[in-house]
Every structure is written in structure tokens, then in C-alpha cells.
Amino acid sequence: MSNRLLSALRHPVLARWLGLVSLSLLTACQPTDTAPAESEAASAQPLRLWYDQPAEVWTEALPLGNGRLGAMVFGGVDREVLQLNEDTVWAGGPQNNVKPSLRPHLEKISELVLANRHEEAQAYADEHIKSHHDGMPYQTVGNLVVDPQHPAQADDYRRTLDIGQALAQVRYQVDGVIYQRETFAALSAPVIVTRLSASEAGQLDLDLGFNSPMDHSVSVDKQRLRVEGQGADHEGVEGQVRFTALINPVLEGGTLESTDKGLRIRGADSVTLYTAIASNFVRYDDVSADPAARAQQQLADGLRRSYEEIRSAHIAAYRDQFDRVSLDLGPAPAEDQPTDQRLANFREQNDSHLAALYFQFGRYLLISSSQPGTQPANLQGIWNDQLTPPWDSKYTLNINAEMNYWPAESTNLSELHEPLFGMLKDLSVTGQESARELYDAEGWMVHHNTDIWRITGQVDGAYMWGQWLGGAAWLSQHIGYRYHHTGDRDFLAEHYPILRDAARFYASRLTEDPDTGWWVLVPSNSPENDYLHRDDDVQAAVDAGVTMDNQLVFDLFSLVMEASEVLGRDPEFAAELETLRDQLPPMQIGQHGQLQEWLQDWDSPEDKHRHISHLYGLHPSNQISPYRTPELFSAVRTSMEMRGDESTGWSMGWKVGIWARLQDGNRAYKLLTDQIKLVTEDDAQFEAGGTYANMFAAHPPYQIDGNFGLTAGIAEMLVQSHDGAVHLLPALPDAWPDGEVKGLVTRGGFVIDMVWREGEASELSVHSRLGGPLRLRVHSDLEPVNSVTLRDVAEGEHNGNPLMQTPTIKAPIIHRPDKVAPVRLEPSQLLQLDTEKGETYRFRR
């Protein structure tokens, strides 16, 4: 066996598939002491998307994925198309886009900003700040085409995506013969599997072919289709990715022969297609693997097991992840309607089951696009049919990449976070170049965008987004999210150098603002907004000390200080960070009673911008609280009222989370109805959001972060744990008076199963993975079923659980106290008990 093949087989994803996948392997990142309810959380309600006609466009096709391989299934009668992706097929090759000659220009811009010469600073930045290139696009592999040799007219057509089992199915009847297809991207083998069958023997006549917009060739090799292709050149960077796809049909009955265009199958009883795809990508700086050898090994692994064996193992592996959480928001009277009709009718029908299906569809997409050892989910997850997709389908770090992983911890899919941490490790290496060469700084940093090659320079110039400095600080917060939900000190120790070195960058870049004496980041942006409008030609966005940057640096420094104490490392550096943190600007409440986005009071009530970056302090951070910082809490609500509701899909997902944190369930639900509305590729309007027929979220165009944002937002409506307590039903809308959720995970490692009736929690089960104090915030009386001591605690009393601490921030500067609206909340009480690791505690109203 060649060294390259041996290297390929050591790849974590391929190694995972070298034998039958065991449940213990798939749950390696999960505690072994989970309660039985966690593994029995599968919903009894139907979890299916279904349609009564084939997909005509890509946003009607149904997505499948195993983290590395993706397929969009169209379900045609006269022509079936499986559009294929592999997560390492990108344009370009190893390199970074850092341009050292920009350093003096960045210094000049900083001088101009700090001298309040903002228009000059922006004009200078627009003229001079441009990197070597703007990153490489994620690209398609191409289309497997199956041409059934029968008429296009069919009866009893039904196309289904069963997200309870991760299976796509097509069924129809032609001339009295029932034809069926089932496709899945196996979690139990490194292949995509499609099985075609008919109700009568000898009725399958198929032609198999392949096409792609990529540079590629198609041949027949030992009665299988073989595709060789390569990633494109882009913006002066040579395409260095090579890939091989092998499609192997296995027949029961009938004949198989090759043609000039592909393969011809005649008279078969059934046909199973095994599709393997591999590239030469090893990591961001290495493309030395042998794609053909990899693909051959993957195909061999698939073929050594029967269809039934792979299918059964796939379903078991998938359900081990998916079934950890169930959600019942009420009956499903509209389930007999095709899914596209349900989307169109959602607002009028009050289809609570569709909201639960949308929640679970987001979890399905995360399982399908992000598995340990794969690339992280990009702007489109893993699904893309273009050479240059919108925004190159890269990783946008000023909200979108982070939002993709908001559901990971709270919806019990912690191990799916791993690909993001892998990218963080890479960026902590490549980002040293941008820190050193552009800013003469220590540590590592990344601007607002990266790709598979882990670029860290500016993308798209300086205006409004390219010069943002917060990427490393925000990405690093996910290390904290994982630690605070799992208490995994080994994980924290492994990733501590990433945190420390990100903090070193910001510590060396903070600059004293001459007007205020505060220490600020400069030059940066508040993503992706501007603050100065004089006429159509004069706008400014580059600035110093923007609110989001201040909040992010505060959180990063706090996390490093916490990790330093937990791990017993770098106490002197932690003390230095504490001193610097105390010199950051406080948050400010401006002339309209709003939370200021910038140091200056530039916010406009007419600004309806999709980004709500300055509200990061409320969500996903926990700096702002109705109980600890009520004035800031009020200011966030005012800012949200000013911005309005309807926006892009991902923005409405963020706004659902914000309104949930504002404890306004009806307003959060209103945002859900704005997003869960049917749009087509023809009628989609930019910044109008919506959902395509296949339930992909529309920016528009399609961006997967909208799906993940809504999933996380619905979880926030039901359970929150950021503010020092496990808060039950903090934002329950009137539309969901009765329901049940199982398996949500909170900080402190508590797993929540809950039933509510008439808007109040009636049954609660809390499984303590880690032990320690459990504090509950409840809006109805709950009594323990177990013999435990449950005591009342006062507001503000210290919570002894180290994983549920809240920050102490500076008092805000309030410029117009008369504009700060009072905070009105539903009455609640705080209850606390001590828990033992592995025990489950039950309560009833």
C-alpha cells in the first residue's frame, strides 16, 4: 500500500468509516452518563418534507449529507439528477492573502480616525486597503444523471425527505408499475447510496451519465463511471485541488454495458448506485494526497457491505445524534399538505408543527454538513451547484460562520462543533502572518472572511466590512460555549493557546483614544454598517472603538482570565488582561434611548440595517441582562424597534434570538412568521428573507445560517442559561400554549426535558451530566418529585456553579435618561438545588 494511501486512510473521516460504525464511536464526545430520556427523544410526530412533483430548480431539490459528501436530489421522473459536493473541492490552492505593504496605510488610517477626520480616513482606506485577492470559492463536483427509459407522465408521485432517518425517497407509477428510489449520504460508510427498484421484475432500464461545469473528464472504468476533475483558478491563484468521483452500479438481474456517454442498464430488477468522491486535499497547506486511491478505497469500503447493512448502520448512526432532542408544539393537521404549500400558508394556518419541523430541519442540516473530521459548514453548509456561488460560499466571520454553530451545544450536538475548532486551530497559525505583517502585533488575527486555505487578510477592501478586526475574538467565544456546556477541562486546555494568542493580538493592538482616554481597536468597522451620510457620495464606516469590538474584546479577555484560573496558567498575563479590560469603553445609551453602535451618538431611527452587531452584548453574549443591567436591556429593545423586523434570513434568525433574550415570545414568533414564508428564486427580494420550497433559508439567495439561526432561536424561546440560571419558557409565544421538549442542553451540563400546559411548565426533568448547583428561573410553581431540597434564592445571589457565572461590566453612560424606557418582565422566582453527577431530578406543578 502506498504511503499516500496510508496517509489518506489516517484521515479522521475515512478512518471512521473503515468498519461498521459503532454508537460508542459516534458518541465519543458525549458523556456516558446521560439519562435514558436523552436517547429516547425521537418525536412521534412525522418529521418529513414531502412534495407532489419533482424539483424544477435547485432550491426545490432535497439536501443529503454526511458532513463530507453532499447531494441535492431532484426526484425527476424522466431524468433524475443528484447534484454532488465534496467539502474540500474549492478553487485555488495553499496561500494566504496577506499584503504586508498595507501596514503603513493602516497606520495612516488610524491616525486620521483618532483625529476625528473620518471622511478622509474612509477615502484613504477605500483607495489603499486591498489584499492580493478576496478568497477562493467553494465549488461543485457536478451532476450524476439517471435517465429512466420510460415516459415522463407518472401517477401517484411523491417525493420525501425523512429527516427522522436522513433518507430521501421518490415514488411514482408508470403504466401500472410502481418505481421507487431511495438515496442517503451514509454516516456509516464514505459513500452516497441510491437504490432504484420497481414493483415488477425486469422493469428498470436506465442510462447513467455525469456532467459538471468544472474542468473534468468522464470515462468508464471496470463498469463504473469515473470522473476526474480539478478546482478552478481564481483571482490569480492556481487551482490545485484534484478530485475523483466513482459511481458503481450493483444490479439484481438485467445487463450492464458501457456507452460513449456512460453506462446503460437494461431489464434490471433493482439497481444500487454507490458514489465515492475524494480529493487531494490534506489540510490548508497540503494538497499531496492521491484522490483516485482515496476514492477507490472509499468505494471498496461501501461495496463490501450490502445495501441493507449500510442503510441500517446509517440510520442508527444518524438517529444517535438526531434523536437526542425532540420538540412537540402541537398537532400536525396540515401534514397532508405538501411542504411548499405549508410554507405558503404558515402565517394563516398557525402551523405549530411546521415550526417544530423547521427547528429539527436545522439540526438535520448541521448533522448533514458538519461531522468530526470534516470541514466546517460554510455559507451554504455543504451544498452548492456553482463555480462561483454567492459570496463564494466562504466563511463570513462577522456573524454567519458563528451562527452556523449556535445550535451545536444547546440542541445536544456538541461533537458537531469540532470542525469549527479545527478551523480555529488552522487560523491561529495562518493568522500570525496578518497580525505580524499588517499590525506589527503579537498573537493571531483574522478579518471578516476566510476560506479552506485559511486566509486572514482583508477581503473586499476596507469599506463597511473588510477592515473589521473582531474575527478572532468572536470565533474564540465558541471555545467558551463548548466548555461552559460540557465542563471539559481537557478540551479547554487543548484550545487554551488559541484563546491566549488571540488575546495577545488585541492586547498589543489596543490604542488610547485621545478624546476619552479609553483603549480602543482601530481601524475597524461595525459590521457591515456605516455611520456618516452627507450625500450619495460621502459615507464613512471605518472607525475606532465600535461597540461590538469593545464587547468582543471584553468577552475574550474574560474567557482567557477564566481559563487561566481553571488551568493554572499564565497568571501574569491574566492580570494584564484584567487591567486592559477595565480600560475598555463602557456601553452607551444614546439620544433615542438606544444602545449606541459607535462611540459617537450616530445611530439613526431610519437605519434598518440587517446587522445588529452592537447588540452582541445581549445575544449571543451575556453582558446585558434585565436583572443586572436593566437600562442596557431597555436600550437593546429600543434599538430593535428602530431596526425593524423583516430583513435577510440570517438576520431574522438573529433577531428571533434577540427577542427571545428580551423575553418577548410573541415578537420572536412574529419574526418566525416573517422567515417561514415561501419564496421562489423568481420572487425573492434582497433583504426580505423567507424560505425556499426545500426549506433552505433565503438571504436571499440561499444561506444556511438562516436555518441554523432559527433553530437556535427557537431553543432560546424555550430554555436559556446565559444569565446565571436555567430559565424555563423565557419567551413562550401565545401560539404555543401546550408543548413538550426533550434533550436541550444548558450551561453547567444540564439536560432539560419539559412539558408545558396553558403557557406554564407542568413537568420538568433535569439530568445533571456534571453535578453541581442547579439554579432555575421559573414562572410557575414547581415541586420536586424526588426527595431533594429546593430553596428560594434572592435576585443577585451568587451562583456557586463555575460554569454559569455572569460578567460584571462597567456602568453604562446614559446621555438621555428620560429616553430610557422602563423594563417590564413577567414575574419569576429563582430556585436552587445541589445535584449529583449522573442523577436526574423531576418536578411537577
Side-chain angles (χ1 to χ4, degrees):
M1 186 177 291
S2 71
N3 290 335
R4 284 186 175 181
L5 182 54
L6 282 170
S7 175
L9 297 181
R10 293 190 187 105
H11 187 280
V13 179
L14 303 186
R16 181 180 175 217
W17 282 319
L18 285 177
L20 284 172
V21 175
S22 68
L23 295 184
S24 62
L25 177 59
L26 288 167
T27 58
C29 294
Q30 294 297 313
T32 58
D33 53 356
T34 53
E38 292 180 69
S39 61
E40 298 170 359
S43 173
Q45 291 187 325
L47 290 172
R48 293 189 297 268
L49 288 66
W50 77 271
Y51 307 83
D52 56 10
Q53 58 188 5
E56 295 184 359
V57 295
W58 191 83
T59 50
E60 294 175 355
L62 296 175
L64 297 169
N66 62 11
R68 187 179 64 86
L69 299 178
M72 296 289 288
V73 182
F74 282 70
V77 174
D78 61 334
R79 187 173 189 265
E80 172 64 289
V81 175
L82 272 66
Q83 185 267 310
L84 302 173
N85 288 101
E86 200 272 351
D87 70 345
T88 63
V89 176
W90 291 63
Q95 40 67 49
N96 203 342
N97 69 334
V98 173
K99 193 174 182 180
S101 61
L102 298 184
R103 187 199 290 183
H105 300 307
L106 292 165
E107 293 171 353
K108 177 67 173 179
I109 295 165
S110 297
E111 292 173 6
L112 291 170
V113 168
L114 293 174
N116 293 311
R117 296 161 63 182
H118 297 96
E119 294 176 32
E120 292 178 64
Q122 188 65 60
Y124 189 90
D126 292 343
E127 180 180 358
H128 293 284
I129 302 303
K130 181 66 177 175
S131 297
H132 293 299
H133 61 78
D134 293 326
M136 301 295 108
Y138 178 54
Q139 299 192 304
T140 183
V141 168
N143 304 306
L144 170 60
V145 179
V146 181
D147 285 328
Q149 301 298 300
H150 57 56
Q153 289 296 111
D155 299 319
D156 302 324
Y157 180 92
R158 190 176 179 103
R159 177 169 59 102
T160 304
L161 177 61
D162 180 352
I163 67 169
Q165 301 186 90
L167 302 171
Q169 298 164 329
V170 178
R171 176 188 172 98
Y172 57 86
Q173 182 173 298
V174 175
D175 295 334
V177 179
I178 297 173
Y179 294 90
Q180 297 186 81
R181 299 182 212 128
E182 182 173 81
T183 304
F184 56 93
L187 283 170
S188 56
V191 291
I192 295 170
V193 182
T194 301
R195 185 171 179 86
L196 304 96
S197 61
S199 61
E200 297 181 13
Q203 291 297 312
L204 291 179
D205 297 333
L206 311 170
D207 289 344
L208 302 181
F210 191 91
N211 62 65
S212 175
M214 302 285 280
D215 183 1
H216 76 289
S217 63
V218 181
S219 60
V220 177
D221 177 16
K222 298 179 182 179
Q223 293 193 316
R224 62 179 60 134
L225 282 180
R226 182 187 183 102
V227 181
E228 304 282 354
Q230 67 179 66
D233 300 345
H234 189 74
E235 294 184 356
V237 181
E238 177 188 358
Q240 298 183 48
V241 172
R242 305 289 186 268
F243 64 86
T244 299
L246 300 174
I247 299 100
N248 193 114
V250 175
L251 279 62
E252 294 181 14
T255 62
L256 171 65
E257 61 183 35
S258 61
T259 70
D260 293 341
K261 297 181 179 179
L263 295 173
R264 178 185 294 131
I265 297 171
R266 293 294 182 267
D269 302 334
S270 68
V271 178
T272 305
L273 305 177
Y274 295 82
T275 300
I277 309 170
S279 84
N280 62 338
F281 180 92
V282 178
R283 66 177 212 166
Y284 67 89
D285 58 354
D286 185 350
V287 288
S288 65
D290 183 338
R294 278 181 162 182
Q296 180 62 47
Q297 180 62 45
Q298 293 170 23
L299 184 61
D301 184 58
L303 289 172
R304 70 186 178 86
R305 285 170 280 170
S306 70
Y307 167 77
E308 289 78 12
E309 288 174 330
I310 290 181
R311 183 183 190 273
S312 177
H314 160 72
I315 292 172
Y318 172 76
R319 292 191 62 180
D320 178 67
Q321 295 178 339
F322 184 80
D323 285 358
R324 296 171 192 167
V325 171
S326 66
L327 176 62
D328 182 351
L329 296 177
E335 209 274 331
D336 61 345
Q337 299 174 10
T339 300
D340 51 347
Q341 293 184 25
R342 292 180 73 184
L343 290 167
N345 299 331
F346 177 72
R347 189 186 299 265
E348 289 74 24
Q349 290 184 159
N350 189 24
D351 188 352
S352 296
H353 176 263
L354 184 60
L357 183 65
Y358 208 102
F359 167 85
Q360 292 286 32
F361 186 61
R363 296 182 70 245
Y364 165 81
L365 293 176
L366 189 57
I367 294 170
S368 301
S369 63
S370 183
Q371 288 285 327
T374 71
Q375 296 298 309
N378 60 47
L379 273 178
Q380 296 185 195
I382 199 174
W383 301 279
N384 163 49
D385 65 337
Q386 301 177 45
L387 295 181
T388 54
W391 301 283
D392 292 335
S393 197
K394 300 195 295 284
Y395 301 99
T396 306
L397 307 181
N398 61 21
I399 175 61
N400 313 94
E402 292 88 354
M403 182 179 284
N404 282 1
Y405 287 90
W406 285 355
E409 301 300 331
S410 63
T411 74
N412 219 331
L413 296 171
S414 183
E415 72 268 44
L416 305 190
H417 227 150
E418 292 296 333
L420 188 71
F421 300 135
M423 184 169 75
L424 257 171
K425 286 183 178 179
D426 294 344
L427 290 171
S428 71
V429 177
T430 63
Q432 294 175 29
E433 182 181 1
S434 50
R436 180 181 63 252
E437 300 296 336
L438 297 178
Y439 301 101
D440 192 24
E442 301 175 353
W444 71 276
M445 65 84 61
V446 58
H447 294 85
H448 95 290
N449 217 283
T450 193
D451 59 16
I452 197 170
W453 311 113
R454 308 309 188 231
I455 62 168
T456 58
Q458 293 91 341
V459 167
D460 300 330
Y463 184 60
M464 287 207 293
W465 47 79
Q467 190 45 48
W468 183 61
L469 297 177
W474 198 346
L475 282 173
S476 296
Q477 292 309 309
H478 284 257
I479 297 172
Y481 303 155
R482 160 65 77 83
Y483 173 68
H484 292 137
H485 281 78
T486 67
D488 188 340
R489 293 193 179 196
D490 291 339
F491 167 84
L492 185 64
E494 178 185 352
H495 293 81
Y496 172 76
I498 298 173
L499 295 175
R500 178 199 61 212
D501 291 350
R504 287 173 60 211
F505 168 76
Y506 293 105
S508 60
R509 276 302 301 172
L510 286 172
T511 303
E512 185 175 5
D513 174 39
D515 291 337
T516 64
W518 297 324
W519 288 73
V520 297
L521 284 181
V522 61
S524 191
N525 310 110
S526 185
E528 302 176 1
N529 206 358
D530 59 10
Y531 53 80
L532 185 61
H533 300 264
R534 298 195 189 280
D535 54 49
D536 291 341
D537 297 323
V538 179
Q539 296 173 311
V542 67
D543 197 18
V546 299
T547 296
M548 182 189 220
D549 284 355
N550 304 332
Q551 295 168 338
L552 284 169
V553 173
F554 179 95
D555 273 356
L556 176 60
F557 286 2
S558 299
L559 183 55
V560 174
M561 291 159 55
E562 178 185 4
S564 170
E565 181 177 1
V566 169
L567 301 172
R569 298 189 190 179
D570 302 322
E572 297 84 2
F573 183 55
E576 176 189 343
L577 293 183
E578 184 173 16
T579 299
L580 287 172
R581 190 185 65 172
D582 290 344
Q583 296 169 352
L584 294 171
M587 284 182 264
Q588 301 182 72
I589 299 175
Q591 59 186 315
H592 309 292
Q594 88 286 3
L595 183 63
Q596 285 184 200
E597 187 163 0
W598 297 274
L599 285 183
Q600 295 87 344
D601 194 355
W602 282 326
D603 300 80
S604 168
E606 305 306 313
D607 183 2
K608 306 302 178 185
H609 200 273
R610 62 195 176 277
H611 280 258
I612 46 176
S613 304
H614 54 310
L615 308 186
Y616 163 90
L618 178 71
H619 174 60
S621 181
N622 63 348
Q623 296 174 34
I624 298 173
S625 161
Y627 310 105
R628 293 180 284 111
T629 60
E631 295 88 358
L632 288 172
F633 187 82
S634 171
V636 169
R637 186 178 183 103
T638 299
S639 291
M640 285 291 288
E641 295 284 6
M642 288 167 53
R643 285 290 164 92
D645 291 345
E646 194 166 286
S647 187
T648 60
W650 65 261
S651 177
M652 286 195 280
W654 194 356
K655 289 176 179 178
V656 169
I658 290 282
W659 283 112
R661 293 266 175 113
L662 289 170
Q663 301 186 26
D664 191 333
N666 287 333
R667 190 63 172 269
Y669 182 78
K670 193 266 183 186
L671 266 295
L672 282 177
T673 65
D674 289 340
Q675 178 59 19
I676 306 178
K677 64 181 179 185
L678 181 65
V679 297
T680 68
E681 292 182 352
D682 293 332
D683 64 21
Q685 299 179 3
F686 186 70
E687 298 206 11
T691 299
Y692 294 111
N694 64 359
M695 287 184 63
F696 274 166
H699 181 288
Y702 157 59
Q703 279 188 199
I704 201 169
D705 39 34
N707 291 100
F708 294 142
L710 254 68
T711 293
I714 291 171
E716 291 275 347
M717 295 167 72
L718 302 176
V719 178
Q720 296 174 15
S721 61
H722 63 285
D723 204 9
V726 175
H727 192 168
L728 304 179
L729 302 178
L732 187 70
D734 294 340
W736 303 340
D738 304 315
E740 179 177 1
V741 67
K742 292 182 178 180
L744 295 181
V745 182
T746 75
R747 298 185 185 212
F750 299 109
V751 184
I752 306 299
D753 296 353
M754 176 174 52
V755 176
W756 66 93
R757 296 289 180 261
E758 297 179 350
E760 294 185 346
S762 57
E763 296 180 31
L764 173 68
S765 173
V766 181
H767 177 73
S768 179
R769 288 177 170 172
L770 306 173
L774 166 65
R775 179 169 295 183
L776 297 171
R777 184 179 293 277
V778 298
H779 298 277
S780 57
D781 292 331
L782 286 175
E783 297 294 334
V785 175
N786 317 64
S787 297
V788 297
T789 301
L790 187 64
R791 64 182 181 88
D792 292 327
V793 294
E795 202 72 62
E797 184 178 331
H798 176 71
N799 183 342
N801 192 319
L803 300 175
M804 302 191 72
Q805 299 308 302
T806 56
T808 300
I809 66 170
K810 286 183 178 180
I813 295 175
I814 305 174
H815 297 287
R816 290 287 304 274
D818 60 307
K819 294 292 185 178
V820 179
V823 172
R824 296 183 175 87
L825 302 172
E826 292 294 322
S828 65
Q829 64 179 130
L830 290 173
L831 307 171
Q832 187 157 319
L833 72 153
D834 294 324
T835 71
E836 297 293 330
K837 179 179 179 179
E839 295 297 320
T840 300
Y841 302 84
R842 294 179 173 85
F843 309 85
R844 289 180 183 154
R845 190 172 66 195

